[in-house]
Structures are given as C-alpha cells and as structure tokens.
Amino acid sequence: MATEITVPALGESVTEGTIGEWLKQPGDAVAVDEPIASLETDKVAIEVPSSVAGVMSAHKAEVGDTVEVGAVIAIIEAGGSAAAAPATPEPAAKTAASASTTTESSSDVSQTLSPAVRRAVLEHGIDPSTVKGTGKDGRLTKEDVIAAAKAKGDTPAPAPAAASASAAPAQAAAPTSAPAGTRNTERVRMTRLRQTIAKRLKGAQDTAALLTTFNDVDMTAVIEARAKYKDLFAKKHDIKLGFMGFFAKAAHLALKDVPSVNAQIDGDEIVYHDYVDISVAVSAPNGLVVPVVRDVDKKGFAQIEKDIADFGRRARDGSLTMDDMSGGTFTISNGGVFGSLMSTPIINPPQSAVLGLHRIEDRPVVVDGEVVVRPMMYIALSYDHRLIDGREAVTALKIIKDAIEDPTRMLIDL
C-alpha cells in the first residue's frame, strides 16, 4: 500500500520550507520514523520522518523546491522490500570515479550522501567509508571530505567533462583533463537559512538607527575565578565553567538597571520585558543561529552553561527546533572564539541591542599609576538609537564591564 509523506507542521507562523537534501532515494528501505529528507525553513533545518516502514517509491519534489505545510513530497510503499532504484543515465564523471573505486558503491558505504558531499568525494578521490562523519547521525559533510583530503595532502582533481548524448562509448569513458592554470568558478544556491539571515540583517540596517559603543574589560578576575573553581564546578555540575555564564549574568544586571536595552519597538509603542531571555549566537554548518537561553535572571551559572553547551551541540548536528530560536530580548555574540579583535555587531530584530565579545589578549594598561600587562577584551554594544539613548547604552556597557572586572557584584546584585 502506498503512503503519502507530507510536509509536517513547521512551527508558529512558518508555512513553507525548501527541500535541502533527500536522505532516502527511490528503492531505499525506510524504517518507521526514519528521516527521509531535510527541510530548510527560515530558522532551522528540519528532518522529515517516514510514518511507515517500507520502500521509498518516488520523490514528489526536487532539492531546492519550496513546499508548503501539508504538501506531498514522497511516496512510501508500505511493507515492501528494498530494490534497486530505477536506472538513470550515469554522467561520465561518475563512470570514471567508479573505475577508480572511490564512489560510495565501491567503498561499501550504507549512508546516503548529499549531492555536495558526493561531488566532493569525486573531486578529491576520497573513500567515504574511511571518513568519520560529523553531521547529524554521523552523516558525512562536505567539510569532512575536504578535511580528509587535506590530511592526505591531496588537491581536488579536475572533474571529467560529461559526455554528450551522441558521444561514442569510448569517448564517454575517457576523462578530460583541464588545462594547467585553469581558473574555475562554482555557483551554489543560497540555503533558505542563509537567505533569511541576509534579509534580516539588511532589514535591521534599513530600519533601525544603529550605533555602537565600545569599552574594554580587564579579564583578570574572571580568569582567576575560573582557574580556582573550574575543577570543583565541573565535578559538581558536570559542565565546564565558561566565560559566557559570566557575561550572561553581567548582562542581566545591565538590562535590569537600563530597561530600554531589554525592550523593543512595536509600531508606535515600546514593549518592556520584566524577564531576561538572551539569544546566544551559535555557528552552525549552514550559518549563524541564535537559540534563546530563557530566564537568565532566574538561572545560576551552571544551568546557563548547560543550556549554551546544549545549544552548541544541537546547532552542529542540526537538531535545534523553531521553539529554541523564538523570542529573545537581548543577544550576545562571541566573535572572540574566531579571533576577532573588535567588531560592530548588528542587532537581532525585533531586539534593540546586542553585546559583542572579542578575543582576550595581553595588553599594557595603567593601573594605580603603573603600566602593567593584563588580559584585556574589547566589548561592543550595538543598539537601536530610536529607542536607546547614548547615555543608556554607555551606562549598560559600563555595568557589564564593572561586573566582569569584579564578579562579586553579580553575587550581591550591584
């Protein structure tokens, strides 16, 4: 019996998505609740599971197609047995690669490779069965293949030219080498998530009156506190004590004392929040995502660190949900993990402010009339000047600076 697989509900106000990748091909066996496709929405990538066990009969949409909630995207023959997929013409590049035993069929790989990964495997001559995948459920990513190629010291071989329909068989099988010094380009369609990021950031620039104020922070006290308590903290809470917990709690003090930094504009009204939900910018394979640590004002360091660590893990394996990303009254973005010295972060609409953190480096500073070397970090607060005055922005950033330089303030609510 044939069963139609439809696009599931994607979350509040989300009515459509884009087919990002087929995880099952026609002829593949499918188990109940096994993911068959990856669907990209404006915020996250969602895996579409099969409601029945059987065999993938047909795709009803192609990679890159936009599909609405409830639309049929695949047919599963329930209770069937796996069979070979319908024969399709093989490109010459695939034929040549098969001869060199570098495709997934010749390397006994059971997982389904995405088009981008398959192309990288062919270009670099990598046996995918020898590469450990870091994607969802251990699947290979393009970055995994490239890293394996670099480890081997290989460079991508020019892809053989595909034979035309009228070419002789001998000509079709013969790879064509690109001339030395050839300069190639590749066009890759932007993912739906990347398109949304681009629109939102540009929209923030077009709508908000953006301004950034800077300060620098002496990280000595926080570094010493971490060094002193990290082992006890990890033993008791089963999580490392990081910097983000300190900055989240310091931001809470600032947002409480300067409510406009925790507010947003809605039409001709200002919406103030009596809670602190901090969006934490996390790097994911397809772009930057901002899951929300809720009720920072009520949570301790351990729970904040656990929430952030969990978001980071789920961002990497693609399991963040729409609810994880909804809401948020303020954002913290840590460019320092990538080596950034200073930046002007862009607010995350409809929020009105974002705190940018940067790398820590030893710099000479004057303390009590003497030049000493201290671990310093530049911090930046970008804000919507329509709502937040310069005095308020500078005050909020100074509160964060003072709390980091003297963490006791966070304990006694100063």
Side-chain angles (χ1 to χ4, degrees):
M1 181 178 69
T3 300
E4 295 180 339
I5 306 299
T6 60
V7 177
L10 301 175
E12 185 179 356
S13 76
V14 180
T15 61
E16 63 181 22
T18 301
I19 301 292
E21 177 184 353
W22 281 107
L23 306 177
K24 291 292 182 178
Q25 302 300 323
D28 289 350
V30 180
V32 175
D33 293 330
E34 185 177 11
I36 63 169
S38 176
L39 194 65
E40 296 176 354
T41 71
D42 292 345
K43 293 185 177 181
V44 294
I46 297 174
E47 290 187 337
V48 180
S50 173
S51 57
V52 297
V55 174
M56 173 67 74
S57 174
H59 296 162
K60 293 299 183 180
E62 301 295 330
V63 172
D65 286 355
T66 297
V67 290
E68 296 183 351
V69 172
V72 176
I73 60 171
I75 304 294
I76 303 291
E77 289 292 341
S81 58
T88 56
E90 294 280 349
K94 183 67 174 290
T95 303
S98 297
S100 62
T101 66
T102 59
T103 67
E104 68 255 49
S105 60
S106 63
S107 54
D108 192 26
V109 176
S110 60
Q111 64 176 312
T112 301
L113 303 182
S114 70
V117 173
R118 184 175 291 108
R119 182 168 62 248
V121 165
L122 297 176
E123 289 177 351
H124 293 275
I126 296 295
D127 180 352
S129 67
T130 65
V131 183
K132 183 178 180 181
T134 60
K136 176 71 171 177
D137 296 329
R139 285 198 292 270
L140 285 182
T141 66
K142 182 178 178 182
E143 289 74 19
D144 295 332
V145 177
I146 293 174
K150 289 181 178 178
K152 286 179 56 180
D154 293 343
T155 55
S164 65
S166 60
Q171 294 174 319
T176 303
S177 299
T182 297
R183 287 153 39 103
N184 300 314
T185 61
E186 180 183 11
R187 288 182 179 270
V188 179
R189 182 182 178 85
M190 291 176 68
T191 64
R192 190 180 187 94
L193 176 60
R194 174 53 60 186
Q195 293 179 51
T196 301
I197 291 172
K199 291 177 182 177
R200 284 175 61 83
L201 294 182
K202 184 57 181 172
Q205 286 184 320
D206 292 342
T207 302
L210 291 178
L211 190 62
T212 303
T213 183
F214 298 93
N215 215 317
D216 60 356
V217 176
D218 185 343
M219 297 293 292
T220 300
V222 168
I223 291 174
E224 289 178 348
R226 289 183 70 219
K228 183 176 181 179
Y229 297 112
K230 65 179 181 180
D231 293 337
L232 289 173
F233 189 89
K235 183 178 180 180
K236 180 176 180 178
H237 300 292
D238 195 28
I239 189 71
K240 291 182 179 180
L241 178 59
F243 290 118
M244 287 297 289
F246 286 94
F247 278 101
K249 295 303 289 184
H252 157 233
L253 293 182
L255 301 179
K256 184 184 67 174
D257 286 356
V258 190
S260 61
V261 181
N262 196 43
Q264 65 188 54
I265 294 177
D266 184 11
D268 58 358
E269 296 180 332
I270 299 174
V271 180
Y272 291 97
H273 306 97
D274 65 355
Y275 53 88
V276 176
D277 288 352
I278 295 183
S279 303
V280 180
V282 176
S283 181
N286 291 330
L288 196 70
V289 293
V290 279
V292 181
V293 180
R294 305 188 192 281
D295 298 319
V296 170
D297 48 319
K298 299 181 178 67
K299 289 179 178 176
F301 279 76
Q303 190 57 54
I304 291 172
E305 293 289 356
K306 288 179 180 179
D307 289 351
I308 293 172
D310 179 59
F311 285 144
R313 176 185 58 79
R314 292 198 285 134
R316 289 189 296 273
D317 65 25
S319 61
L320 286 173
T321 67
M322 301 292 288
D323 289 341
D324 291 329
M325 244 93 66
S326 63
T329 61
F330 182 76
T331 293
I332 298 178
S333 178
N334 186 7
V337 296
F338 305 108
S340 172
L341 175 65
M342 185 180 292
S343 67
T344 56
I346 300 178
I347 63 173
N348 177 26
Q351 298 173 19
S352 299
V354 53
L355 174 67
L357 309 182
H358 303 91
R359 74 170 184 250
I360 302 170
E361 62 177 7
D362 288 341
R363 291 201 298 268
V365 294
V366 178
V367 178
D368 296 329
E370 295 183 357
V371 177
V372 296
V373 176
R374 292 289 178 86
M376 304 296 294
M377 175 196 287
Y378 289 118
I379 56 175
L381 184 74
S382 290
Y383 58 99
D384 188 346
H385 212 344
R386 297 177 303 164
L387 171 61
I388 303 169
D389 294 331
R391 175 183 59 83
E392 294 173 312
V394 171
T395 299
L397 196 60
K398 184 63 164 53
I399 292 172
I400 294 172
K401 170 186 169 70
D402 291 344
I404 295 298
E405 293 185 340
D406 183 7
T408 304
R409 287 173 172 266
M410 288 182 263
L411 300 177
I412 60 178
D413 197 15
L414 283 180

